[in-house]
């Protein structure tokens, strides 16, 4: 046994000396969260309650939607308080998306043309990341927006190691059985009567599953549905999708339900962990 250990150590030393690296594997943790109009329910200075909540989960990457009233500087300052020295905000008006990270965020694209809230494309470590927030009121616009996002991915140099996440404001065909009771349809019909700008039903009659179908047809995998299907709520519009090479490495993907998430936003955050090699 002693001889075997010595042989292994010698082999590792030879590999390092020859320019080859011995990689260690660990878990990378990602959270995506629509924080409701800039986390308006946290009225503390610097959003300290939110900061403490983020610290308790210690994500490596945090994708945010509805970063209302944040600036690039204020997002950076808040992120630094929970241990993320890197932050990107897509814009400073409306309902912007943002992303913060323990690791450098590089090759950043901030895309707002033809988009309601915009989306961010970037690289973190060896991951290709998109943070999005699709139009909440018009199904045709959502279809156009996801088409633009998938088109951006299609022209990228690689199709591997992709992760797209955020508030998709749309239903998945994988969840169709959850909508058989007609509650979601009725709710959207009532909203359309109340608000003239609501156009979320196809021809005003049926739920739209095409946005999510486009994503599935593109080959992306619904992390929560595959890894922890029992955790999927009856209705959801928040997702983390990954490319098929990454889905094999995902160890957990579910919604976070705790005392904080019960009252600080009208959305529940999605958390995902996957095996990552450094």
């Amino acid at each position: 046994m002693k001889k075997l250990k010595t042989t292994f150590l010698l082999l590792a030393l030879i590999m390092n000396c020859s320019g080859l690296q011995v990689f260690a594997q660990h878990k990378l943790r990602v959270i995506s969260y629509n924080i409701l109009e800039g986390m308006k329910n946290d009225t503390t200075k610097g959003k300290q309650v939110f900061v403490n909540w983020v610290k308790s989960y210690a994500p490596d990457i945090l994708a945010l939607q509805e970063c209302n009233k944040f600036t690039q500087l204020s997002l950076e300052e808040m992120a630094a308080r929970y241990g993320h020295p890197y932050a990107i905000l897509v814009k400073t008006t409306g309902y912007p998306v943002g992303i913060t990270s323990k690791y450098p965020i590089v090759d950043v694209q901030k895309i707002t043309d033809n988009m309601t809230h915009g989306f961010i494309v970037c690289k973190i470590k060896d991951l290709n990341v998109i943070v999005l927030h699709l139009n909440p009121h018009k199904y045709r616009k959502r279809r156009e927006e996801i088409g633009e996002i998938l088109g951006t991915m299609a022209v990228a140099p690689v199709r591997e190691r992709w992760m797209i996440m955020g508030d998709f404001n749309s239903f998945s065909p994988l969840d169709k059985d959850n909508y058989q009771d007609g509650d979601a349809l009725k709710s959207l019909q009532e909203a359309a009567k109340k608000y003239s700008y609501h156009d979320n039903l196809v021809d005003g009659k049926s739920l739209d599953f095409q946005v999510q179908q486009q994503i599935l047809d593109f080959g992306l995998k619904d992390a929560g549905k595959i890894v922890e299907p029992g955790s999927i709520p009856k209705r959801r519009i928040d997702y983390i999708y990954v490319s098929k090479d990454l889905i094999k490495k995902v160890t957990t993907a579910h919604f976070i339900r705790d005392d904080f998430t019960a009252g600080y936003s009208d959305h529940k955050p999605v958390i995902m962990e996957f095996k990552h090699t450094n």
Side-chain angles (χ1 to χ4, degrees):
M1 181 62 73
K2 186 175 180 180
K3 185 176 181 181
L4 182 61
K5 287 182 179 179
T6 302
T7 303
F8 178 80
L9 289 172
L10 285 172
L11 179 60
L13 181 61
I14 292 169
M15 290 175 71
N16 280 327
C17 291
S18 64
L20 298 174
Q21 294 178 315
V22 179
F23 292 104
Q25 195 173 78
H26 67 284
K27 287 184 180 179
L28 206 68
R29 179 176 292 177
V30 179
I31 293 178
S32 179
Y33 197 4
N34 182 323
I35 58 175
L36 182 61
E37 298 180 5
M39 188 50 64
K40 68 176 183 178
N41 289 341
D42 181 358
T43 57
T44 60
K45 185 177 181 180
K47 308 296 180 187
Q48 194 57 48
V49 178
F50 176 60
V51 167
N52 290 339
W53 177 84
V54 177
K55 283 182 178 179
S56 72
Y57 283 93
D60 296 285
I61 299 169
L62 177 62
L64 299 170
Q65 302 89 55
E66 295 197 16
C67 296
N68 302 32
K69 299 183 180 178
F70 275 91
T71 64
Q72 177 64 34
L73 179 59
S74 66
L75 183 62
E76 289 174 6
E77 291 174 340
M78 184 182 73
R81 288 195 290 275
Y82 54 74
H84 284 192
Y86 306 99
I88 297 292
L89 187 70
V90 74
K91 60 181 181 177
T92 56
T93 59
Y95 291 71
V97 299
I99 185 168
T100 72
S101 172
K102 288 182 179 178
Y103 308 104
I105 305 171
V106 301
D107 293 344
V108 176
Q109 298 178 61
K110 301 179 183 181
I111 301 175
T112 56
D113 289 348
N114 301 313
M115 302 297 295
T116 306
H117 300 314
F119 66 100
I120 294 170
V121 188
C122 62
K123 284 187 72 74
I124 299 175
K125 294 176 83 69
D126 59 350
L127 299 168
N128 303 295
V129 182
I130 290 180
V131 182
L132 59 81
H133 185 181
L134 301 182
N135 186 287
H137 300 134
K138 299 185 183 300
Y139 76 91
R140 292 184 183 87
K141 184 60 178 176
R142 282 194 292 274
R143 292 178 178 181
E144 293 171 4
E145 289 179 343
I146 200 61
E148 181 145 346
I149 291 166
L150 296 175
T152 300
M153 293 179 63
V155 299
V158 296
R159 292 287 287 271
E160 293 80 34
R161 305 195 69 77
W162 277 96
M163 177 169 57
I164 77 170
M165 53 192 165
D167 179 353
F168 291 70
N169 274 312
S170 54
F171 303 132
S172 171
L174 302 179
D175 298 339
K176 270 190 177 181
D177 289 347
N178 294 345
Y179 301 104
Q180 294 302 312
D181 59 13
D183 288 349
L185 178 61
K186 183 179 178 181
S187 176
L188 291 175
Q189 287 173 332
E190 291 174 351
K193 291 177 183 177
K194 188 175 181 180
Y195 304 105
S196 60
Y197 56 87
H198 276 219
D199 186 21
N200 284 312
L201 296 173
V202 180
D203 298 325
K205 298 177 181 178
S206 59
L207 301 179
D208 180 37
F209 295 100
Q210 185 174 317
V211 169
Q212 299 287 322
Q213 189 63 60
Q214 286 178 254
I215 299 168
L216 295 169
D217 290 345
F218 192 80
L220 295 172
K221 305 300 180 181
D222 181 345
K225 193 71 175 181
I226 292 174
V227 179
E228 294 189 66
S231 72
I232 300 298
K234 186 174 181 180
R235 290 174 62 174
R236 59 173 176 152
I237 56 176
D238 304 278
Y239 306 80
I240 297 179
Y241 279 94
V242 297
S243 50
K244 62 182 180 180
D245 59 297
L246 281 184
I247 194 63
K248 303 169 187 176
K249 300 180 179 181
V250 176
T251 57
T252 186
H254 61 265
F255 286 83
I256 299 174
R257 296 176 178 86
D258 57 25
D259 291 342
F260 177 84
T261 64
Y264 280 85
S265 175
D266 54 348
H267 290 249
K268 297 292 184 290
V270 186
I271 186 170
M272 180 182 77
E273 287 185 357
F274 61 98
K275 297 175 184 176
H276 185 262
T277 304
N278 257 8

